[in-house]
Amino acid sequence: MRNYLEKLINRENLTTEEMKAAVRYCFKETATDSEIAAFLTALQAKGETADEIAGIVDVIRDASSFQASAITDAMDNCGTGGDKSYSFNISTTSAFVLAGAGVTVAKHGNRSITSKSGSADVLEQLGVSLSFSKEQIEELLQENQIAFLFAPNVHAALKPFTKVRRELRIPTIFNAIGPLTNPIALESQLLGVYRQELMPILAEALHKLGRKRAVVVNGAGNVDEATLAGENQLIFLDDGKLTSFTLRPEDVGLPYYSKDEIRGGDAKQNAAILLDVLKGKNGAYYNTTILNAGIGIFANGKAETIEDGIEFARESIDSGAALAKLEYLINYSNKIPSEVF
């Protein structure tokens, strides 16, 4: 570890293999909190590279017992958080729209960190279990095309890092990599980022991690979701090729809404918003959802254009398919014995 720390302090980048070795060391019982804290702090001060991000993600995924070899065509849609926009749960709502449009979604998420309600908080409010086993997740993905993977449940090995991060109380590499650590082998991904400078780094990391298609988006106003408040910045990954472009509401025939119009609340309020959207209630929440779901459907490859993706998203809601995916997940959760729910 000392050699790696010296390189980082000297602002030298670690190779993927060096990063893997350093992270594996942190998982050992002999690693001290001081060493882990120094590693995270030095890495943050230098700035992470795509190789370093891919290295730590590979080790975290390998340490999870929730890797599902039976699932080969799943995607995830998630933001890094940290934008402090206090929006409703956009990616969680969009996930059901994606599933209703025929996309298999392994939704990876956590409780609130920088907002009033994280994906886990709102799903728990709706009656969805946070304790699915690996076998249950595989069954849900095959039968319902959507399952929720609660990060602390699928990444139990991260406890040494969790303790140190809680004590450090500063941003670390973990603030950027959460959406990348899904233990399911994803073929495609929609990743929201609130820091524009991270977009090309994370797009390259997605390629190194094996994503065939992906979209990295920085929403208007530096939100970690696409918004209808102005110009969104996007990077499209397609078989190793990165293409940058911008997207405005008028480009896809959607109305303008300010960031204030998509603010959410606590888990109960955001659950009500999610249900309203899936029941087809028009407005800022609905249109923001179909924008993000449309981009996700495009990222997955089911739609050739984002405009087509938005139409698929609209149909997913209007047909009742999106809501049916949520209802299935709730009913499935209710059948799980109370001691493991």
Side-chain angles (χ1 to χ4, degrees), residues 53 103 107 113 129 142 189 221 232 243 245 266 293 302 337:
I53 289 172
V103 177
K107 185 74 179 83
I113 298 174
S129 173
Q142 291 170 337
Q189 188 157 1
N232 300 277
T243 305
F245 63 100
D266 59 19
K302 188 174 178 64

Side-chain angles (χ1 to χ4, degrees), residues 23-36:
V23 176
R24 290 192 187 106
Y25 174 80
C26 292
F27 281 143
K28 294 181 179 179
E29 292 183 2
T30 52
T32 66
D33 289 350
S34 296
E35 287 175 311
I36 297 173

Side-chain angles (χ1 to χ4, degrees), residues 55-322:
I56 188 172
V57 169
D58 273 339
V59 174
I60 291 171
R61 292 187 67 256
D62 287 345
S64 174
S65 61
F66 278 74
Q67 296 186 58
S69 57
I71 308 300
T72 59
D73 61 347
M75 79 169 293
D76 194 2
N77 68 320
C78 188
T80 59
D83 60 17
K84 298 183 180 178
S85 67
Y86 303 106
S87 61
F88 76 105
N89 293 98
I90 297 172
S91 64
T92 307
T93 309
S94 301
F96 292 104
V97 181
L98 285 163
V103 177
T104 300
V105 184
K107 185 74 179 83
H108 182 251
N110 209 333
R111 293 196 181 278
S112 171
I113 298 174
T114 58
S115 64
K116 293 182 180 179
S117 172
S119 55
D121 301 306
V122 72
L123 290 174
E124 187 177 51
Q125 179 69 35
L126 289 163
V128 175
S129 173
L130 304 184
S131 304
F132 293 131
S133 67
K134 174 186 173 181
E135 292 72 25
Q136 289 166 338
I137 287 170
E138 289 181 330
E139 181 180 349
L140 283 165
L141 291 174
Q142 291 170 337
E143 300 296 327
N144 191 45
Q145 288 189 284
I146 185 169
F148 182 64
L149 292 83
F150 184 41
N153 190 33
V154 301
H155 296 303
L158 284 179
K159 288 180 180 178
F161 285 106
T162 303
K163 178 178 181 293
V164 171
R165 290 180 65 208
R166 190 182 299 118
E167 293 174 352
L168 278 176
R169 300 178 67 180
I170 61 171
T172 69
I173 190 172
F174 282 90
N175 293 82
I177 66 169
L180 305 182
T181 59
N182 194 319
I184 304 297
L186 306 176
E187 291 221 343
S188 57
Q189 188 157 1
L190 172 59
L191 173 60
V193 186
Y194 81 98
R195 291 167 51 197
Q196 283 192 32
E197 67 271 18
L198 275 179
M199 292 178 67
I201 297 171
L202 290 175
E204 182 61 31
L206 285 169
H207 171 55
K208 291 178 180 295
L209 290 167
R211 307 295 192 269
K212 294 180 179 178
R213 287 175 64 103
V215 171
V216 179
V217 59
N218 172 255
N222 289 323
V223 178
D224 71 334
E225 312 275 1
T227 78
L228 294 166
E231 187 173 271
N232 300 277
Q233 308 296 324
L234 296 90
I235 297 179
F236 173 43
L237 166 67
D238 183 19
D239 197 23
K241 180 183 178 182
L242 299 179
T243 305
S244 299
F245 63 100
T246 60
L247 185 71
R248 303 170 185 85
E250 58 267 28
D251 296 335
V252 288
L254 292 175
Y256 173 93
Y257 292 100
S258 70
K259 288 201 300 181
D260 287 342
E261 292 177 273
I262 59 169
R263 286 178 72 92
D266 59 19
K268 184 176 181 180
Q269 292 169 308
N270 283 7
I273 292 170
L274 185 152
L275 286 172
D276 281 345
V277 170
L278 297 191
K279 291 176 181 178
K281 183 178 179 180
N282 203 356
Y285 300 127
Y286 175 94
N287 284 289
T288 301
T289 298
I290 64 171
L291 171 65
N292 281 274
I295 296 172
I297 294 168
F298 167 72
N300 175 261
K302 188 174 178 64
E304 292 187 4
T305 67
I306 291 175
E307 294 94 325
D308 288 343
I310 289 172
E311 290 309 307
F312 286 141
R314 200 188 305 273
E315 173 61 21
S316 173
I317 294 175
D318 294 349
S319 67

